[in-house]
Amino acid sequence: MKKNHVIDNVFTLVLFTMFATMALLVTAAGASAYKSTSEQTERRFDRQTCLNYITARVRSNNEAGAVEITKLGECDALTFTQEANGGRYITCIYYYDGAIRELLFREGIELMPEDGTAICNAGDLGFSLENGSLAVTLTGTDGTDITAVIACVG
């Protein structure tokens, strides 16, 4: 008959405790890495989706004289002019109060930047139109920039 020693029980308990501690540490490290990667992917997706939306709007309105950079209140705005139902309609895309906004109105109506519909949250939005190329720079809420250059008719 074999006798159990106290040291055998203590060794088994210490070994189990070390295993459980290591398993918890590895799980916590994996969860932290997953959370960080997930947040980074979401920020990139938000910026890219918003920039893709603006690019699609430019391409769908890309006619001579239809795309301009103007002012809406104090905001720089990317402006598209369209003829429809016997009138001229203007669509503005601009940055105001922490969001990229869009506003559609009939020519001659005075509106303010706060009247637009928020498309997505952002840190800033900038435009430049040179030599038939429109550069759109979107700053995300985390401060990182992404730029698209779009060929324009005029």
Side-chain angles (χ1 to χ4, degrees):
M1 184 162 153
K2 190 173 177 185
K3 264 186 152 179
N4 277 344
H5 294 287
V6 174
I7 196 75
D8 292 337
N9 292 336
V10 169
F11 178 73
T12 304
L13 186 60
V14 168
L15 191 59
F16 175 75
T17 303
M18 286 177 42
F19 174 76
T21 302
M22 289 299 158
L24 285 173
L25 288 174
V26 168
T27 302
S32 176
Y34 175 79
K35 181 180 178 187
S36 173
T37 302
S38 176
E39 288 172 352
Q40 185 179 23
T41 301
E42 188 173 324
R43 283 192 303 270
R44 280 188 193 146
F45 177 78
D46 289 345
R47 278 194 318 264
Q48 190 64 49
T49 300
C50 194
L51 194 59
N52 286 346
Y53 177 78
I54 294 169
T55 301
R57 295 291 289 160
V58 170
R59 289 181 178 152
S60 69
N61 290 284
N62 201 359
E63 299 172 3
V67 179
E68 298 177 296
I69 299 172
T70 61
K71 288 278 192 191
L72 180 66
E74 295 296 315
C75 304
D76 288 333
L78 187 58
T79 305
F80 313 109
T81 305
Q82 304 161 325
E83 300 279 338
N85 298 327
R88 288 174 53 98
Y89 291 87
I90 299 170
T91 302
C92 294
I93 297 178
Y94 56 96
Y95 173 80
Y96 179 76
D97 196 27
I100 307 299
R101 296 176 181 262
E102 184 175 47
L103 184 60
L104 172 66
F105 57 95
R106 190 174 183 127
E107 189 175 53
I109 296 175
E110 290 293 321
L111 295 171
M112 300 302 295
E114 57 268 16
D115 296 327
T117 302
I119 298 171
C120 63
N121 294 328
D124 198 10
L125 182 64
F127 310 104
S128 67
L129 185 58
E130 296 178 17
N131 301 324
S133 293
L134 172 69
V136 180
T137 302
L138 175 72
T139 303
T141 55
D142 61 351
T144 58
D145 292 341
I146 184 171
T147 301
V149 179
I150 309 155
C152 289
V153 172

